[in-house]
Amino acid sequence: MTIPPSIYEYIDRNSNSFIQRLAKAVAIPSVSGDAAYRQHVLAMAKFLVTELESLGVNVKTTELGTQNLDGQELPLPPAILGTLGSDPKKKTILLYAHYDVQPALVTDGWDTDPFVLTPDPKTGRLYGRGATDDKGPLLGWINVLEAHVKLGVELPVNLKFCFEGMEESGSEGLDDLIKAEAGPGKYFHGVDAVCISDNYWLNDRTPCLTYGLRGLSYFGIVVAGPARDLHSGVFGNMVHEPMTDLVTLLSKLVKPSGEILIPGLDELVAPLTEEEKARYDVLDYSIADVEQSVGAAVALSSDKATALMGRMRYPSLSIHGIEGAFYGTGAKTVIPAKVTGKFSIRLVPNMTPDNIRDLVVNYIKEEFKKLGSKNKLEVIDLHGGKPWVADPNHWNYVAARKATEAIYKKTPDYTREGGSIPVTLTFAEALGVNVLLLPMGRGDDGAHSTNEKLDTSNYIEGTKLLGTYLWEVAAAA
């Protein structure tokens, strides 16, 4: 069973229409982590419901409760659940994607308005927040559905959809929904495998299939002292300054070399075998790829395998920012009364948010005691997710490999990814099925960064890839 060539032809003929669909989605600033944007996240959900229903999908929006964000009690964005087909002779594939995005402002350093999809005719790149993470891949599935529906071609598999609007903010509420709907007679019952397109190639030339993800634990260090912000000319060298304490604490977390300084974390990392080490040696990747992706020669190692293992199979600790501190232009001589430093740890087997939490919190408290400060300390565990590893020899991955070879004429690399998609493990554990990560975008797309982009070729050929994957699944033993 192979995909009809007419599907490819339809996708090519309608590429401009598909780009316009992506432009409409990017124009909705569905930032989940800012209360001021919640209305736009809800608008994005309505946009997707309309698109799916127009193609015959039976859609159900499921409310996930409320959250307190920026001092406001807000409704969580709904989970969009959809069903298309119920033929017992066909496999049933669950498709997951997310419709929320990271924050983005022109003043962050964007060359264009982040919420206006901006094509670059010279490079074929489509710039915009969410273009590659994750609106482009999500709409790729809708493009595939449109091609089949408009051509009157029956889908080779049954489809279920789960699109969420809180992935960038910890997938709040989704785990409980998946577990509640996993039993006999429930929504997820009967799913044979899961496909997620929310990751990226290692570089800009070789497709990959991803069978592992790092987990995440995100923390805040709050240091507070004075009742209000102070003038440094009046109170400098007279009081304990929260910013000084915080910067000192942040410096105790990780070395410039990337070495994590928190005792006990290294002991939780699963040992590296020679077989696993060999996988990194053969991947199509180089230090030049690192430098191209980040735009500077700042790689921690000159060895390819070492660099890849730092991204894929070892933990990392990154410091993200300081809330409450002066950061504008000019020279404001303020002593902040309260500051919050934010950092995260990317987790690998056998680390979990639960088994590292006390190690992190207790270490920071001990380091704070050493300062002799009269300020107050609070360590907040903001959110987290466990790491995940799947079987890359499963028929789900075989189908994806064949689809990749059909579209790109290359055998994909098999990778573990450095990022986190917490719901991946939830699907695997709650449903007891194989989960595949099938990327659309390239390694230099800049997800979460300024000037995020998706190459037009990846969007259109990636749509073909997703469609071909469904046909290869149907043909799999």
Side-chain angles (χ1 to χ4, degrees), residues 22-23 25-26 100-101 110 114-118 125-140 200 440-441 445-448 451-455 459:
L22 179 57
V26 168
D100 63 320
V101 298
W110 283 75
F115 295 109
V116 174
L117 188 70
T118 306
R125 293 175 170 179
L126 304 169
Y127 290 95
R129 175 58 88 220
T132 194
D133 182 23
D134 185 35
K135 292 181 178 180
L138 188 159
L139 295 181
Y200 316 94
M440 174 181 281
D445 279 355
H448 291 208
N451 300 318
E452 176 185 345
K453 61 86 177 172
L454 176 64
D455 288 79
Y459 183 43

Side-chain angles (χ1 to χ4, degrees), residues 53-355:
E53 289 182 337
S54 72
L55 296 170
V57 179
N58 182 12
V59 180
K60 173 187 176 183
T61 57
T62 302
E63 301 303 323
L64 299 176
T66 62
Q67 70 169 152
N68 189 283
L69 182 63
D70 300 336
Q72 302 179 50
E73 192 72 17
L74 300 172
L76 287 166
I80 301 172
L81 304 180
T83 303
L84 188 60
S86 58
D87 188 340
K89 297 178 181 178
K90 296 178 180 179
K91 291 187 177 71
T92 298
I93 300 298
L94 172 62
L95 307 177
Y96 165 88
H98 67 90
Y99 58 86
D100 63 320
V101 298
Q102 285 279 315
L105 300 169
V106 174
T107 52
D108 294 335
W110 283 75
D111 295 332
T112 60
D113 186 332
F115 295 109
V116 174
L117 188 70
T118 306
D120 183 340
K122 294 181 179 179
T123 63
R125 293 175 170 179
L126 304 169
Y127 290 95
R129 175 58 88 220
T132 194
D133 182 23
D134 185 35
K135 292 181 178 180
L138 188 159
L139 295 181
W141 292 116
I142 292 178
N143 297 339
V144 168
L145 288 186
E146 180 185 314
H148 284 77
V149 170
K150 298 296 184 183
L151 292 172
V153 176
E154 182 180 348
L155 283 166
V157 297
N158 303 315
L159 293 178
K160 286 184 178 289
F161 303 84
C162 180
F163 297 157
E164 70 153 321
M166 282 292 288
E167 193 274 342
E168 302 290 7
S169 300
S171 293
E172 190 168 347
L174 189 63
D175 279 7
D176 291 340
L177 172 67
I178 294 170
K179 294 170 185 176
E181 293 291 338
K186 301 295 183 65
Y187 174 74
F188 294 112
H189 181 66
V191 167
D192 294 299
V194 180
C195 183
I196 297 173
S197 187
D198 186 22
N199 61 308
Y200 316 94
W201 299 358
L202 276 179
N203 49 43
D204 62 359
R205 60 188 177 272
T206 304
C208 71
L209 306 178
T210 300
Y211 66 94
L213 291 168
R214 291 195 293 189
L216 176 73
S217 283
Y218 201 112
F219 294 92
I221 303 176
V222 184
V223 182
R228 58 187 178 278
D229 289 353
L230 304 176
H231 189 307
S232 66
V234 177
F235 293 101
N237 202 25
M238 194 179 198
V239 299
H240 289 277
E241 299 188 16
M243 179 71 91
T244 304
D245 292 350
L246 177 61
V247 171
T248 303
L249 291 175
L250 293 175
S251 74
K252 303 295 184 180
L253 297 176
V254 62
K255 289 183 179 180
S257 64
E259 178 187 351
I260 299 175
L261 298 173
I262 301 170
L265 294 190
D266 283 349
E267 286 80 353
L268 297 174
V269 178
L272 175 69
T273 65
E274 287 300 320
E275 179 184 2
E276 183 188 354
K277 171 65 165 58
R279 294 183 196 142
Y280 302 105
D281 291 328
V282 300
L283 292 180
D284 180 15
Y285 198 70
S286 68
I287 299 304
D289 291 316
V290 182
E291 296 171 349
Q292 178 184 351
S293 295
V294 303
V298 293
L300 287 176
S301 174
S302 59
D303 177 69
K304 177 187 77 171
T306 300
L308 285 171
M309 287 189 290
R311 167 176 169 171
M312 296 180 180
R313 68 100 53 216
Y314 286 119
S316 64
L317 189 153
S318 299
I319 298 169
H320 303 297
I322 298 177
E323 181 181 337
F326 170 64
Y327 63 91
T329 58
K332 187 177 181 181
T333 57
V334 65
I335 297 174
K338 177 182 177 181
V339 285
T340 303
K342 297 182 179 181
F343 72 95
S344 69
I345 301 173
R346 296 288 177 171
L347 311 179
V348 298
N350 299 308
M351 305 168 78
T352 69
D354 288 339
N355 69 17

Side-chain angles (χ1 to χ4, degrees), residues 276-451:
E276 183 188 354
K277 171 65 165 58
R279 294 183 196 142
Y280 302 105
D281 291 328
V282 300
L283 292 180
D284 180 15
Y285 198 70
S286 68
I287 299 304
D289 291 316
V290 182
E291 296 171 349
Q292 178 184 351
S293 295
V294 303
V298 293
L300 287 176
S301 174
S302 59
D303 177 69
K304 177 187 77 171
T306 300
L308 285 171
M309 287 189 290
R311 167 176 169 171
M312 296 180 180
R313 68 100 53 216
Y314 286 119
S316 64
L317 189 153
S318 299
I319 298 169
H320 303 297
I322 298 177
E323 181 181 337
F326 170 64
Y327 63 91
T329 58
K332 187 177 181 181
T333 57
V334 65
I335 297 174
K338 177 182 177 181
V339 285
T340 303
K342 297 182 179 181
F343 72 95
S344 69
I345 301 173
R346 296 288 177 171
L347 311 179
V348 298
N350 299 308
M351 305 168 78
T352 69
D354 288 339
N355 69 17
I356 76 158
R357 183 181 300 108
D358 287 347
L359 293 173
V360 173
V361 172
N362 292 338
Y363 172 73
I364 293 172
K365 288 181 177 179
E366 287 301 315
E367 290 299 315
F368 183 71
K369 288 180 182 177
K370 296 176 184 178
L371 302 182
S373 175
K374 295 180 180 178
N375 291 318
K376 303 298 181 183
L377 170 73
E378 181 182 9
V379 184
I380 304 172
D381 184 354
L382 292 168
H383 62 79
K386 293 188 287 187
W388 158 84
V389 177
D391 175 13
N393 297 313
H394 189 274
W395 58 257
N396 200 23
Y397 280 82
V398 174
R401 174 182 59 78
K402 291 181 177 180
T404 302
E405 291 172 343
I407 298 302
Y408 291 107
K409 314 305 178 187
K410 288 184 176 182
T411 298
D413 282 333
Y414 284 78
T415 68
R416 288 167 60 173
E417 189 51 82
S420 302
I421 310 175
V423 73
T424 308
L425 184 67
T426 304
F427 280 133
E429 292 183 341
L431 307 187
V433 299
N434 182 271
V435 181
L436 161 75
L437 266 66
L438 180 59
M440 174 181 281
R442 302 183 183 185
D444 63 352
D445 279 355
H448 291 208
S449 185
T450 55
N451 300 318

